[in-house]
Amino acid sequence: MDTALTDASRLPGERPLGRGAAFGLLVFANVLLMASTSAPSPIYPLYLQRWSFSVTILTVVFAVYVAGLIGALLTVGSLSDHLGRRPVLVASLLVAAVGTAIFWAADGVFSLVLARVVQGIATGTATGALAAGLVEFCPVGRPHVGPTMTAVGTSFGLAVGGGLAGLLVQVSPRPDAVLFPTLTLAFVVLAALVFAIPETAIRRAGGLAALRPRIGVPREARREFFAALPAIVAGWSVTGLFLALAPSLVRDVLHVQFGAAGGLCITVLFIANCAGGLWAARRPARAATLLGAVLLSLGAAGLAAALVFASPSAFIGASTVSGLGVGLTFNGTFRGISGTTTAHSRSEVFSAAFIVSYTALGLPALAAGLAAPYFGLETTGYLYISFIAVLSVSAALHAAKATLTTRPPATTPVGVRETA
């Protein structure tokens, strides 16, 4: 058991906020970061009309966010293991404020690309520290809450960002002029509040060496990490489909002219994602991963049928099923991975997992954007959904085999193991 992290109030650098308040603040930080990353998606069609660029450029704008994020994860993703969680989080929140400020002042495609790169850097810098901090501040005696809130907070933030932006698209001619100033101010205030949390990672040498681009997974975590990959890739590919293409599919293939529909379909996915994450918390990690992969397979079939019959109601139903699958697989895989980490490697392992996650989020979406001019948006949608279906079935078979042949892994970082 990692006794150094069982009571944050005993650590050096103590600040006024207690353990519970610090945990709540980190949950909010995770939600706000994720909301800021999904908020531009419903506004993209307006940018497309305003500056007359193509769907391919739209997916490039989406993909550069992933490039910035992965670049940050490869270099500074584990930095909080050396410098401490608090300074890394403060820096990342201020960088996030710069990103939303660039969106606020955007006057063309270059501004959108720059804003998304900066957003990606901010999220990639914060990801490992946030995931580790939520594990370390989780309520005493409830060690599963940290990984669960990482998964659920991510999903809830993405739902809130997409939903609010979608509603603003419907009621305001310039939703970006309302949304991005608000987010900028919120990030600045939150960065100031983070100074009040206790420090959970003791500063140690090796910070400069940690900046060398690498993906590190300690030997003790590798088996569980690689077992989780099929489900991680399947779930995050679904997320990429919705954030990059769903608003355009809803408008141009399903022929829904309601302006908020694109953002609301993102919200439906991520609300279901939250529900799936909470559902997963009541199940063993591998059982949650298996159930999630099955639901991802069913959701992909439903999305394809919705496009075939141009049915918005079928699309909503399939979005709900897919969202439940994403939440179950996200929570199940990350709980399994969390159980193999220690304080000295925690943010490094989480960063490696998120590198895989965000690669699965961005590369298929970019490929779809490049394919759309040649095959058309509808056919590209079918190809993307088919790719998700193959991944999901593969993940389900892999998870079923792992569940039948091995005992369930540890689900917490403090030595508590699940029973089947």
Side-chain angles (χ1 to χ4, degrees), residues 283-367:
R283 304 180 65 84
R286 282 199 176 133
T289 301
L290 173 58
L291 178 58
V294 170
L295 290 177
L296 287 174
S297 303
L298 295 175
L303 290 171
L307 296 185
V308 169
F309 297 105
S311 172
S313 58
F315 195 86
I316 292 172
S319 300
T320 303
V321 174
S322 297
L324 288 170
V326 173
L328 282 158
T329 54
F330 188 17
N331 187 301
T333 54
F334 272 71
R335 281 163 57 207
I337 291 170
S338 175
T340 65
T341 64
T342 66
H344 295 303
S345 66
R346 191 162 290 137
S347 73
E348 179 182 19
V349 175
F350 282 135
S351 293
F354 276 108
I355 287 170
V356 175
S357 301
Y358 283 107
T359 300
L361 179 77
L363 287 185
L366 179 59

Side-chain angles (χ1 to χ4, degrees), residues 66-101:
V66 177
L69 189 151
I70 291 175
L73 286 172
L74 286 170
T75 53
V76 297
S78 63
L79 197 58
S80 74
D81 286 337
H82 300 274
L83 301 184
R85 313 296 183 214
R86 190 169 57 225
V88 171
L89 286 172
V90 170
S92 63
L93 291 169
L94 292 176
V95 173
V98 172
T100 53

Side-chain angles (χ1 to χ4, degrees), residues 260-279:
L264 292 178
C265 76
I266 294 172
T267 300
V268 167
L269 178 85
F270 289 116
I271 287 177
N273 194 329
C274 293
L278 294 173
W279 185 9

Side-chain angles (χ1 to χ4, degrees), residues 44-45 47-49 52-63 244-249 251-252 365-374 376-378 380-381:
Y44 284 157
Y47 287 139
L48 190 150
Q49 294 174 356
S52 301
F53 55 86
S54 66
V55 172
T56 299
I57 297 298
L58 195 62
T59 55
V60 169
V61 171
F62 174 78
L245 290 182
S248 298
L249 289 170
R251 184 189 62 186
D252 299 332
L366 179 59
L370 295 174
Y374 300 97
L377 182 61
E378 183 174 358
T380 300

Side-chain angles (χ1 to χ4, degrees), residues 152-178:
V152 173
T154 297
S155 305
F156 183 69
L158 291 167
V160 168
L164 288 179
L167 291 174
L168 282 172
V169 167
Q170 184 64 28
V171 303
S172 171
R174 287 296 304 267
D176 47 330
V178 176

Side-chain angles (χ1 to χ4, degrees), residues 80-81 85 127-137 200 346-347 350:
S80 74
D81 286 337
R85 313 296 183 214
T127 292
L130 274 175
L134 286 169
V135 168
E136 292 155 359
F137 280 118
T200 57
R346 191 162 290 137
S347 73
F350 282 135

Side-chain angles (χ1 to χ4, degrees), residues 1-2 5-6 19 23 131-150 281 331 334-339 341 346 350 410-418:
M1 181 172 180
D2 194 353
L5 297 175
T6 57
R19 183 190 191 102
F23 182 80
L134 286 169
V135 168
E136 292 155 359
F137 280 118
C138 67
V140 176
R142 301 175 63 192
H144 66 282
V145 173
T148 296
M149 290 311 299
T150 298
N331 187 301
F334 272 71
R335 281 163 57 207
I337 291 170
S338 175
T341 64
R346 191 162 290 137
F350 282 135
T411 60
T412 76
V414 291
V416 177
R417 294 190 177 270
E418 291 180 332

